[in-house]
């Protein structure tokens, strides 16, 4: 329900109908509730909303309803198919009447959609989308190979300067939100977490930022010999602890830096695969998959995700990241030291020439 309102509300700004954001959000919410299945109780002669469809099962429906509501509202507003009020009428009343015509049209549209689906074997739009789209996608992303491929794609995009996480996460977001609801129910019941591949494991792939660069910045902070990287590490190491590595990607730079491409692609795959293996054998507990915890440092992130053992593994993953990045970073650091030595010698020669002059 929150998604059905907020996506339409925020999307109104994106599609240049910001003045109708509140109305669009409310109409979207009403349309979502219209499509949500009802449970009949014949003996009591009543029907009520099935709340199971207001959670994980309704994620994709909320997204589709919001996007369609925005476009219909945008069409009516741009074409001026609205009720116009005379001057002097309060702005709040004017906006209410402006949204009235598109509101009726949108509700009628979703009413027709609901009627059409009631004539099919799926009975509801929610069951149709959940059966044909959400369930297959959840099954696909629940496999380690598919998850690793998405991580690899994300990091390749980052290497070329494209925000890989923002490209991949829209695919994973609705699915992982569904996993979170199911995982939370399992934890509340004292059961094993059913979906180990979730936001928590994606955060592990981004330990220190995309490419699991926490090992790179730690190496830079503790083992730099060059003045360049010693100074740079004072900026990137603290930010890397909290999952922010744009300074490394664009400032080092890591983007288009062929010398760091191998560890940048390999490190997340290694630590995620090992973590998943340890979870599969019951050595560590899977994270719940809470959204928005990725900016927390290692160990603390695992504890917040409900797993102390996963948090401890994050410390081990940090050391593993350091080990993978170390030889590649040392090559860059040694190169920087040589450049600084040459630059220093040139400065001394110039100073000597100036003194003679």
């Amino acid at each position: 329900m929150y998604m059905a309102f907020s996506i339409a509300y925020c999307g109104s700004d994106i599609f240049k109908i910001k003045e109708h954001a509140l109305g669009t959000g409310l109409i979207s919410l009403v349309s979502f509730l219209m499509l949500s299945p009802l449970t009949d109780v014949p003996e009591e002669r009543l029907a009520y909303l099935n709340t199971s469809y207001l959670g994980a099962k309704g994620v994709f429906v909320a997204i589709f309803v919001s996007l369609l509501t925005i476009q219909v509202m945008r069409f009516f507003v741009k074409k001026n198919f609205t009720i116009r009020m005379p001057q002097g009428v309060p702005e709040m009343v004017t906006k209410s009447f402006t949204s009235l015509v598109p509101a009726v049209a949108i509700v009628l549209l979703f009413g027709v959609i609901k009627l059409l689906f009631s004539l099919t074997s799926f009975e509801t739009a929610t069951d149709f989308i959940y059966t044909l789209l959400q369930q297959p996608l959840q099954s696909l992303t629940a496999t380690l190979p598919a998850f690793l491929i998405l991580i690899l794609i994300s990091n390749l995009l980052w290497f070329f300067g494209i925000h890989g996480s923002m490209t991949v996460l829209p695919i994973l977001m609705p699915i992982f939100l569904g996993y979170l609801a199911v995982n939370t129910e399992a934890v509340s019941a004292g059961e094993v977490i059913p979906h180990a591949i979730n936001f928590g494991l994606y955060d592990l792939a981004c330990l220190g930022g995309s490419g699991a660069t926490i090992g790179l910045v730690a190496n830079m902070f503790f083992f730099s010999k060059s003045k360049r990287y010693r100074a740079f590490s004072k900026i990137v190491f603290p930010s890397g602890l909290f999952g922010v590595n744009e300074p490394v990607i664009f400032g080092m730079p890591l983007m288009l830096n062929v010398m760091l491409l191998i560890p940048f692609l390999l490190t997340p795959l290694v630590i995620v695969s090992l973590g998943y293996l340890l979870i599969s054998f019951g050595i560590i507990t899977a994270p719940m998959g809470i959204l928005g915890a990725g900016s927390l440092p290692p160990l603390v992130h695992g504890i917040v995700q409900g797993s102390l053992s996963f948090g401890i593994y994050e410390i081990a993953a940090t050391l593993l990241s350091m080990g993978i990045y170390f030889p590649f970073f040392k090559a860059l650091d040694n190169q920087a030291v040589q450049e600084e030595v040459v630059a220093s010698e040139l400065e001394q020669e110039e100073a000597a020439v100036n003194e003679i002059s």
Side-chain angles (χ1 to χ4, degrees):
M1 292 176 65
Y2 170 75
M3 292 178 67
F5 173 82
S6 59
I7 293 174
Y9 181 86
C10 297
S12 299
D13 186 16
I14 297 173
F15 288 97
K16 312 302 181 184
I17 52 171
K18 185 177 181 180
E19 65 274 13
H20 304 287
L22 181 59
T24 305
L26 292 174
I27 295 169
S28 175
L29 177 58
V30 170
S31 301
F32 170 73
L33 292 174
M34 282 184 59
L35 293 183
S36 299
L38 297 174
T39 298
D40 293 316
V41 185
E43 60 273 14
E44 297 182 14
R45 302 179 65 184
L46 57 83
Y48 59 88
L49 277 173
N50 189 333
T51 55
S52 66
Y53 287 90
L54 303 183
K57 287 185 177 181
V59 169
F60 275 90
V61 178
I63 293 173
F64 291 144
V65 168
S66 300
L67 296 177
L68 183 56
T69 300
I70 292 170
Q71 294 305 322
V72 176
M73 176 65 82
R74 180 169 173 262
F75 173 79
F76 274 87
V77 171
K78 297 301 181 184
K79 298 295 183 180
N80 288 320
F81 294 152
T82 58
I83 298 176
R84 299 180 182 180
M85 302 298 292
Q87 292 183 353
V89 177
E91 183 181 356
M92 183 179 297
V93 177
T94 300
K95 287 185 177 180
S96 299
F97 275 90
T98 301
S99 301
L100 185 59
V101 173
V104 172
I106 293 169
V107 170
L108 286 175
L109 171 63
F110 283 107
V112 172
I113 292 174
K114 182 175 183 176
L115 175 63
L116 293 176
F117 274 105
S118 68
L119 303 176
T120 68
S121 59
F122 295 100
E123 296 186 351
T124 67
T126 306
D127 283 320
F128 171 77
I129 293 174
Y130 184 74
T131 303
L132 294 189
L133 180 61
Q134 189 164 341
Q135 276 188 328
L137 281 175
Q138 286 181 341
S139 300
L140 175 63
T141 54
T143 63
L144 182 62
F147 185 56
L148 293 178
I149 289 172
L150 289 174
I151 293 173
L152 183 63
I153 292 171
S154 172
N155 291 331
L156 273 173
L157 291 173
W158 267 117
F159 179 76
F160 290 104
I162 301 170
H163 202 306
S165 298
M166 290 297 103
T167 305
V168 169
L169 280 178
I171 302 172
L172 298 173
M173 186 74 71
I175 299 164
F176 281 0
L177 285 174
Y179 289 168
L180 175 57
V182 176
N183 288 348
T184 303
E185 291 176 2
V187 171
S188 300
E191 301 173 353
V192 177
I193 290 176
H195 299 291
I197 297 178
N198 53 47
F199 283 120
L201 212 60
Y202 189 85
D203 291 342
L204 180 65
C206 299
L207 205 60
S210 296
T213 53
I214 193 167
L216 174 62
V217 297
N219 286 329
M220 196 184 305
F221 187 79
F222 292 108
F223 304 115
S224 291
K225 299 296 183 183
S226 64
K227 295 179 182 178
R228 177 195 307 174
Y229 291 126
R230 278 205 307 271
F232 192 49
S233 68
K234 295 176 183 178
I235 300 173
V236 297
F237 181 63
S239 61
L241 286 176
F242 295 92
V244 179
N245 72 341
E246 279 82 357
V248 176
I249 291 179
F250 301 111
M252 192 173 179
L254 197 151
M255 180 185 69
L256 298 178
N257 190 337
V258 179
M259 292 184 69
L260 290 174
L261 176 60
I262 293 176
F264 187 68
L265 298 180
L266 181 64
T267 305
L269 303 182
V270 171
I271 63 176
V272 167
S273 299
L274 180 58
Y276 185 80
L277 187 65
L278 294 174
I279 292 171
S280 301
F281 284 102
I283 299 174
I284 62 176
T285 304
M288 290 174 59
I290 297 173
L291 173 63
S295 58
L296 296 174
L299 181 62
V300 178
H301 173 267
I303 295 173
V304 170
Q305 290 284 359
S307 173
L308 175 61
S309 58
F310 188 78
I312 294 173
Y313 173 69
E314 289 178 339
I315 300 297
T318 300
L319 297 175
L320 184 57
S321 175
M322 291 177 66
I324 297 174
Y325 272 105
F326 185 78
F328 300 92
F329 168 71
K330 286 307 295 180
L332 285 173
D333 191 42
N334 292 336
Q335 180 180 333
V337 169
Q338 293 175 4
E339 292 174 357
E340 289 170 0
V341 169
V342 172
S344 178
E345 291 176 350
L346 289 174
E347 288 178 1
Q348 292 175 3
E349 290 177 2
E350 289 178 2
V353 170
N354 290 334
E355 287 180 4
I356 294 173
S357 300

